[in-house]
Amino acid sequence: MIVELEKIKADTAAIIDDVLLQTGIKAGEIFVVGFSSSEVAGEKIGQGSSLEIGRAVMQVIHSKLTEKGIYLAVQACEHLNRALLVERELAEKKDLEIVTVVPALHAGGAGQVASYELMNDPVEVEFIVAKAGIDIGDTAIGMHVKHVQIPVRPAIKELGAAHVTALTSRPKKIGGERAVYRFEMQA
């Protein structure tokens, strides 16, 4: 598959704008990105990593989230046990345990390498609980999004050849048969 980077950038912008709107994520919240440049290029996940595609996609995502004050967490591939690349500021603010590794193209992936270049002070953490996220290439981000998860259907469902899905979350509803979930003034 021939990848047109300008189309990939434009589609990424449209997808991210749509997902951010649908999820209602706000400044200060965490947005996780799972990303396979191989899948975008029409290859099997992990078999055709492309830093060029990684840079094109992550530059758009990083820019959009940064302008809205939303924290970016980029999921690594399984070779780094799905660790997440974040800004040190976020890791310290949320008291996340930092691990010692830096991403490489085939151990972390193109999205992590590209994000490492874009971030001010990037670090890897093993675990995070994000408000919402996007999955480009069926990389399985669900482990990083808080419960209760709600699927989001982007208007554009493919980026290059990669399948695109997203998740948001809501607080759990607790209680029994008398539980009420909307406050009404009592007389």
Side-chain angles (χ1 to χ4, degrees), residues 136-149:
I136 301 169
D138 297 322
T139 64
I141 63 166
M143 68 187 91
H144 304 302
V145 177
K146 69 172 81 171
H147 297 142
V148 171
Q149 298 171 357

Side-chain angles (χ1 to χ4, degrees), residues 146-166:
K146 69 172 81 171
H147 297 142
V148 171
Q149 298 171 357
I150 302 165
V152 173
R153 307 285 186 238
I156 299 174
K157 294 177 180 18
E158 290 187 342
L159 183 62
H163 180 238
V164 177
T165 59

Side-chain angles (χ1 to χ4, degrees), residues 74-102:
V74 183
Q75 177 183 268
C77 64
E78 77 274 8
H79 297 96
L80 295 186
N81 299 328
R82 303 278 187 234
L84 299 122
L85 187 73
V86 299
E87 289 283 4
R88 183 179 303 276
E89 169 193 338
L90 174 62
E92 290 175 352
K93 179 179 180 179
K94 298 286 187 178
D95 197 27
L96 303 173
E97 186 169 350
I98 296 172
V99 294
T100 304
V101 70
V102 293

Side-chain angles (χ1 to χ4, degrees), residues 1 5 34-35 43 45 56 62 71 75 79 90 111 114 117 132 134 152-153 156-157 161 167:
M1 172 180 186
L5 289 180
F35 171 68
E43 302 290 331
I45 194 167
H62 183 268
Y71 288 108
Q75 177 183 268
H79 297 96
L90 174 62
E117 296 170 348
I134 190 165
V152 173
R153 307 285 186 238
I156 299 174
K157 294 177 180 18
L167 289 171

